Amino acid sequence: MSNEHSPQEGAVANEESGGVVATRDDEQSLPARFSNPGLAPHVHRLGDSDEKAARRSERQVAGLFTLSMIATVLFIVAYFTIGEKTSVTLPISGKVGALHAALGVTLAVSLLGIGLGAIHWAKTLMSDTEVVEERHVQRSDDEARDGAVKVVMDGVESSQFKRRPLIKYTLGGALGLFALPLGLQLVGGLGPAKDVADDLKTTLWDSEVPVLGPDGKPEMKDGKPVTRPRRLMRDPEGTAIRLSDVTLGSVFHVLPEGINDTADPLNQKVKASVILISLEEDKIKSARERNWGLNGVVAFSKICTHVGCPVGLYEQTTHHLLCPCHQSTFDLTEDCKVVFGPAKRPLPQLEIKVDDAGYLYAPHGFEEPVGPSFWERDR
Amino acid sequence: MSSLAARRRHPAAILLVLLLGLVITGGLYAALAPKNADAAPDNSKTVAAGQKLFQSNCASCHGLDAAGGDGGPSLVGVGAAAVDFQVSTGRMPLANPGIQAQRGPVQFSNEEISQLAAYVASLGPGPGIPSKDLTSGGGDIAKGGELFRVNCAMCHNFAGSGGALTRGKFAPNLMDVSGQQIYEAMETGPQSMPVFNNSNLSPQDKKDIISFLMNVKTETSPGGWTLGSLGPVPEGLFAWTIGIGMLIVIAVWLGKKAA
């Protein structure tokens, strides 16, 4: 701003106008530089001149501190006297646990009393006259700097660090290697990369369960246990489902048979959860979806392809499946394609069939990985 | 409506209605014989009264014979439970067509509702009104809670306070409805709600869920004010408006000079 003016001009303007150092030539005529306005005149508080007011402030501060003390005592009393199961009905919040309400209120009052008292004290009684503290140069003088360097160099010399290279290099190696375990935990904690990718690509529906003989033991054939595909089981009861159970408009939340016999049922559940829905067969527009279902009863992965929330909100009237986390909406009449929201892929369908005993089962697993994207996913 | 009312006063019409009701009830009962023992009272007088009520209040949408009509679906086979649910919560008769029928003032007395239910139940077999011992609690609350979290909580919220669906539709709050209405809703799947038939959730399961909801309603909130148990949205709103507002007030007070 002031580059357009020569220093001489500024100096002249300073002498003439007193406060404003220099003015621009244009119409706005803003000052190029402001002079230091200095400190505003000190305004005395009521308590500084009136002893009565000062004493009143003193009593107020003491009152706040006393309030804090009372609240602390009440906290201790409440802690020991109020039962954990007692409830109390308060004006706004309704029926709440009496113990926690009492502890919260008394603790808040005791802490607030100290805080408010201290602020009130500082504002009304503590000295509030303005004090000027000049800044000083941060750089130490040369003598002190040389002294500091000498102290360090003397230390290095007396430790014989320079004269004994063996110590120098082994210390460097020890410190350098020490960083490895720290990093190793971070990288190693991410798990074996390949296994994880394989694990994400399969679900429990890809494997089979052993067939039990009449004696309750697995049936054997040629030395190998006989297996069959997994049935669809109700969550949480774990009972098998007949096709006739799934009446029009029904929604069943399904887990694979034998999920509780696996080593990690919860890990299996987050991949293998399925929603089984019955809708009018002629409403289904996709031939594959019709073929993989039975009379309009279709099964889809319940794991959202966005970030893996359970997609459980089925609207019977619109045939939309809604994910509660980010409102991704899937159209059940058209291969569960995405009609709204951040999900990018349709929910994978699970083919279902009826076995000899009349129960629904999945002849094979999902054709693509369920759930959200991951690095090793093909598409 | 007035012409209907005028025709209704004709004595022959009453006879005709009675006869029709009797024939339909008798015929359908003989033909289809609903398995549900508590399906509907087949009292012909009740049915006839229900049909009258139906024709003057519901027929404009659902058709004179309840087979569906201008905007209203067919009610053949929906059962007494559906009628009792829709009418006793004030959803029907529909006040005005919208994205979703909402709860409102109940338009009929209990007797009239049971008459309407009897009439619709007489049209075809469907779920009946559940017995009192299934809808008044006393079930396994822990089991009910588990079933609720698997089957209901995604729409109706973890504490039954309801939640949003797509395009303005919503799952209603379950705290101010009766056990009977909850049972009927599960059995009939009104509007967007799917059906939870007796092979999906057995009557005992439904009883457990109702018991769980009754317990949620009377339970003390251990953490203080629930803000409607609606989850992070009202809690965040409270923190951002009331909480930060109070911090600003205190900050302003801190920076002000004393008098």
Side-chain angles (χ1 to χ4, degrees):
Chain A
M1 240 163 84
S2 60
N3 289 351
E4 300 141 38
H5 301 275
S6 66
Q8 285 86 352
E9 266 178 353
V12 173
N14 194 10
E15 278 172 24
E16 281 170 356
S17 60
V20 179
V21 176
T23 52
R24 280 167 66 116
D25 297 327
D26 58 69
E27 290 143 289
Q28 270 120 24
S29 69
L30 283 168
R33 199 150 67 79
F34 290 93
S35 65
N36 181 359
L39 290 171
H42 181 72
V43 180
H44 286 284
R45 295 167 302 188
L46 200 58
D48 293 336
S49 49
D50 184 358
E51 183 54 30
K52 231 173 159 183
R55 241 182 276 129
R56 191 168 60 235
S57 297
E58 184 188 357
R59 278 197 304 275
Q60 283 165 347
V61 172
L64 284 165
F65 288 156
T66 316
L67 184 69
S68 164
M69 283 192 275
I70 294 168
T72 307
V73 172
L74 284 177
F75 177 92
I76 297 165
V77 172
Y79 185 85
F80 287 107
T81 54
I82 301 177
E84 216 174 299
K85 294 267 158 77
T86 330
S87 64
V88 61
T89 306
L90 296 176
I92 301 169
S93 58
K95 202 171 163 191
V96 295
L99 177 62
H100 290 146
L103 294 186
V105 169
T106 51
L107 195 63
V109 170
S110 74
L111 203 58
L112 214 60
I114 296 171
L116 295 180
I119 294 166
H120 196 53
W121 177 19
K123 287 176 66 166
T124 55
L125 293 172
M126 285 185 193
S127 167
D128 73 335
T129 45
E130 292 79 4
V131 178
V132 178
E133 275 185 81
E134 296 290 350
R135 260 190 255 162
H136 53 80
V137 184
Q138 281 194 309
R139 188 184 193 278
S140 308
D141 54 46
D142 288 340
E143 200 181 328
R145 289 160 70 94
D146 290 344
V149 171
K150 193 174 178 304
V151 167
V152 174
M153 294 322 287
D154 284 353
V156 171
E157 195 58 44
S158 68
S159 70
Q160 305 191 350
F161 190 69
K162 275 186 176 166
R163 276 169 50 205
R164 307 210 181 270
L166 195 59
I167 289 178
K168 192 161 89 181
Y169 293 128
T170 48
L171 177 65
L175 289 177
L177 276 181
F178 186 71
L180 273 185
L182 303 177
L184 193 67
Q185 290 182 62
L186 282 176
V187 179
L190 298 176
K194 192 174 175 301
D195 288 4
V196 169
D198 288 346
D199 195 31
L200 288 172
K201 282 173 186 163
T202 57
T203 66
L204 208 55
W205 297 107
D206 293 307
S207 60
E208 303 201 326
V209 282
V211 176
L212 297 184
D215 55 349
K217 284 180 188 156
E219 261 180 46
M220 303 297 268
K221 194 180 176 189
D222 307 331
K224 280 184 195 160
V226 186
T227 61
R228 61 170 170 77
R230 290 177 194 267
R231 282 177 180 157
L232 279 73
M233 307 298 246
R234 288 180 185 83
D235 179 18
E237 280 106 327
T239 47
I241 304 163
R242 288 175 188 281
L243 182 61
S244 57
D245 292 344
V246 194
T247 52
L248 189 63
S250 283
V251 167
F252 282 63
H253 297 269
V254 168
L255 291 176
E257 181 179 7
I259 190 165
N260 288 323
D261 303 331
T262 57
D264 48 354
L266 290 178
N267 283 359
Q268 299 300 335
K269 190 176 176 177
V270 296
K271 292 187 298 172
S273 285
V274 158
I275 191 162
L276 181 74
I277 298 172
S278 165
L279 66 162
E280 297 93 337
E281 192 167 22
D282 53 0
K283 288 264 170 72
I284 301 175
K285 294 172 197 149
S286 148
R288 194 199 71 170
E289 184 180 339
R290 256 199 312 274
N291 294 339
W292 278 19
L294 290 164
N295 308 334
V297 176
V298 288
F300 280 91
S301 166
K302 209 165 103 176
I303 314 301
C304 187
T305 54
H306 174 222
V307 285
C309 290
V311 189
L313 286 72
Y314 174 61
E315 291 179 7
Q316 202 205 146
T317 42
T318 55
H319 306 298
H320 284 172
L321 259 172
L322 171 68
C323 179
C325 292
H326 307 98
Q327 281 69 50
S328 290
T329 311
F330 303 90
D331 187 352
L332 202 72
T333 62
E334 223 176 328
D335 288 326
C336 265
K337 70 165 188 186
V338 184
V339 290
F340 182 80
K344 283 284 173 286
R345 286 188 304 273
L347 294 172
Q349 189 177 1
L350 183 71
E351 185 176 1
I352 51 170
K353 282 192 158 48
V354 177
D355 64 15
D356 298 336
Y359 294 116
L360 295 174
Y361 73 98
H364 55 85
F366 295 102
E367 287 217 325
E368 57 179 309
V370 298
S373 301
F374 47 96
W375 281 117
E376 295 82 359
R377 203 181 192 282
D378 296 333
R379 60 198 163 94
Chain B
M1 206 60 94
S2 62
S3 65
L4 253 178
R7 239 181 290 151
R8 214 165 59 222
R9 275 190 222 107
H10 198 281
I14 296 172
L15 267 177
L16 199 72
V17 161
L18 271 171
L19 201 68
L20 191 73
L22 280 169
V23 166
I24 290 174
T25 319
L28 284 173
Y29 243 80
L32 299 158
K35 276 165 257 149
N36 211 338
D38 50 27
D42 56 342
N43 187 324
S44 55
K45 263 187 194 160
T46 319
V47 170
Q51 185 170 17
K52 267 191 200 171
L53 281 168
F54 183 88
Q55 290 186 336
S56 51
N57 292 290
C58 321
S60 56
C61 296
H62 290 290
L64 271 173
D65 51 356
D70 186 20
S74 164
L75 299 184
V76 177
V78 299
V83 178
D84 188 64
F85 172 81
Q86 299 284 359
V87 182
S88 73
T89 58
R91 286 184 167 84
M92 294 287 156
L94 196 58
N96 53 307
I99 193 96
Q100 180 170 334
Q102 299 192 17
R103 301 195 62 189
V106 182
Q107 310 275 347
F108 297 97
S109 68
N110 285 342
E111 197 195 344
E112 287 170 325
I113 294 173
S114 60
Q115 287 168 349
L116 269 174
Y119 166 64
V120 172
S122 72
L123 301 172
I129 291 166
S131 65
K132 278 274 173 291
D133 65 302
L134 289 173
T135 59
S136 38
D140 183 343
I141 295 168
K143 177 87 186 302
E146 196 180 3
L147 289 165
F148 183 84
R149 284 188 292 277
V150 169
N151 292 289
C152 324
M154 67 287 276
C155 298
H156 287 287
N157 159 312
F158 57 93
S161 333
L165 296 173
T166 63
R167 294 163 204 225
K169 297 187 282 297
F170 64 94
N173 187 337
L174 301 180
M175 287 297 102
D176 47 0
V177 286
S178 71
Q180 180 171 326
Q181 287 162 346
I182 296 171
Y183 193 103
E184 289 164 349
M186 286 191 272
E187 213 169 20
T188 61
Q191 303 189 68
S192 295
M193 180 167 163
V195 178
F196 295 92
N197 62 29
N198 284 346
S199 66
N200 190 356
L201 294 173
S202 69
Q204 181 62 41
D205 289 345
K206 292 190 175 86
K207 180 180 177 175
D208 292 343
I209 289 174
I210 290 165
S211 309
F212 166 74
L213 285 168
M214 284 175 162
N215 182 60
V216 168
K217 196 149 80 178
T218 53
E219 209 178 33
T220 301
S221 162
W225 193 8
T226 59
L227 296 170
S229 290
L230 287 170
V233 172
E235 283 161 21
L237 195 69
F238 187 86
W240 277 89
T241 52
I242 311 281
I244 294 182
M246 281 186 48
L247 287 179
I248 291 171
V249 167
I250 290 175
V252 167
W253 176 64
L254 267 171
K256 243 174 86 180
K257 230 169 134 49

